[in-house]
């Protein structure tokens, strides 16, 4: 069965998509594993980061979730990264909760439609939306390993604790015993006393589950602006070294 890793934070702008895309590329290019990246965000940034234009049309994750006649292979797109495939998302995903409302098993639709992926891929990575609702619940029930990016700001500590509590609640309510938070990634890190104190508090709250902090990095930003992963754009940069360290921690956290 494929590893299923979800990157989740109820707050946007914390580097969630950056991590999801580059960790997916790490498994694909560095570990030579077959990886499926599933975007669930209405902004479609995972595709944009990989240089895939979803605005030109084509099927998306919304079609797979709402049309029983659509199969996984029909919505899967190749990327420029060898061994990495993408299921893109776009604005119509905002309609998913309404479209799925009548389905009594609506919280497990994503897990159901991705069942065939286990035979095709070694790793499935989810980029969840920056809010909690039916889509995020579907992600939690389709995944097993949760990675939470946390901005190194004071209020982010509360948000992280709430996200961990949500994971535990969903696991218990739906009988998903394998669901667990495996890694906390401090992001938007700057060399300030407060940022360092927040990282230390995270390490106290979540022993052995906090990775190296990910600070602002020009090479990472440039890679995204060119629709490339860090491994394609600047593989020897400090940003690439940092993302590889984080990806290796996630790899070992299984």
């Amino acid at each position: 069965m494929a590893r299923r890793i979800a990157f989740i934070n109820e707050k946007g702008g914390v580097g969630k998509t950056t991590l999801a895309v580059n960790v997916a590329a790490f498994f694909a290019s560095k570990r030579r594993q077959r990886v499926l990246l599933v975007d669930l965000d209405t902004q479609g940034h995972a595709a944009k980061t990989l240089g895939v234009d979803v605005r030109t049309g084509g099927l998306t994750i919304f079609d797979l979730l709402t049309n029983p006649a659509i199969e996984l292979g029909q919505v899967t797109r190749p990327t420029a990264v060898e061994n990495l495939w993408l299921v893109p998302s776009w604005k119509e995903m905002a309609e998913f909760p309404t479209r799925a409302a009548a389905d009594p098993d609506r919280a497990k639709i994503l897990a159901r439609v991705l069942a065939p992926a286990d035979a095709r891929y070694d790793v499935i990575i989810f980029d969840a939306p920056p809010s909690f609702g039916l889509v995020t619940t579907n992600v939690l029930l389709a995944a097993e390993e949760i990675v939470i990016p946390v901005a190194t700001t004071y209020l982010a500590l509360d948000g992280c604790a709430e996200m961990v509590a949500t994971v535990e609640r969903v696991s218990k309510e739906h009988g998903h015993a394998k669901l667990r938070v495996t890694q906390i990634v401090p992001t938007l890190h700057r060399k300030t006393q407060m940022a360092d104190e927040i990282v230390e508090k995270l390490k106290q709250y979540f022993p052995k589950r906090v990775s190296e902090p990910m600070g602002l990095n020009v090479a990472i930003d440039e890679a995204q602006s060119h629709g490339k992963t860090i491994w394609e754009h600047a593989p020897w940069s400090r940003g690439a070294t940092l993302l590889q360290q984080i990806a290796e921690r996630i790899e070992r956290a299984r």
Side-chain angles (χ1 to χ4, degrees), residues 4 72 109-120 124:
R4 294 177 174 233
L72 178 60
I109 296 175
L110 181 61
R112 184 170 71 234
V113 300
L114 287 181
D118 282 326
R120 306 177 194 175
I124 303 171

Side-chain angles (χ1 to χ4, degrees), residues 158-170:
D158 288 341
C160 182
E162 290 174 6
M163 192 67 243
V164 171
T166 296
V167 171
E168 293 173 349
R169 176 178 57 78
V170 171

Side-chain angles (χ1 to χ4, degrees), residues 1-2 16 25 29 34 51 67 80 119 124 133 136 215 219:
M1 183 174 179
K16 175 176 56 62
S29 61
R34 292 173 61 86
N67 187 344
I124 303 171
T136 300

Side-chain angles (χ1 to χ4, degrees), residues 20-32:
V21 169
N22 284 285
V23 170
F26 168 83
F27 281 111
S29 61
K30 300 289 187 178
R31 296 297 185 253
R32 313 301 299 168

Side-chain angles (χ1 to χ4, degrees), residues 99-214:
R99 292 285 294 272
D103 189 336
D105 209 23
R106 55 188 172 273
K108 297 182 180 180
I109 296 175
L110 181 61
R112 184 170 71 234
V113 300
L114 287 181
D118 282 326
R120 306 177 194 175
Y121 302 97
D122 302 303
V123 183
I124 303 171
I125 289 182
F126 302 91
D127 185 14
S131 60
F132 187 77
L134 182 60
V135 177
T136 300
T137 301
N138 265 265
V139 173
L140 291 173
L141 295 180
E144 293 185 352
E145 304 172 42
I146 304 300
V147 177
I148 305 176
V150 182
T152 47
T153 59
Y154 178 71
L155 293 178
L157 288 173
D158 288 341
C160 182
E162 290 174 6
M163 192 67 243
V164 171
T166 296
V167 171
E168 293 173 349
R169 176 178 57 78
V170 171
S171 173
K172 184 177 180 180
E173 289 181 356
H174 293 271
H176 189 12
K178 292 184 178 181
L179 182 66
R180 65 206 186 279
V181 175
T182 57
Q183 203 71 195
I184 309 290
V185 183
T187 64
L188 308 182
H189 184 264
R190 293 179 295 174
K191 290 294 184 180
T192 66
Q193 182 177 346
M194 176 174 284
D196 290 340
E197 288 176 355
I198 290 169
V199 172
E200 288 306 310
K201 286 184 178 179
L202 285 170
K203 290 179 178 179
Q204 292 173 18
Y205 295 155
F206 309 103
K208 300 181 180 180
R209 288 190 287 177
V210 179
S211 77
E212 293 78 8
M214 185 176 80

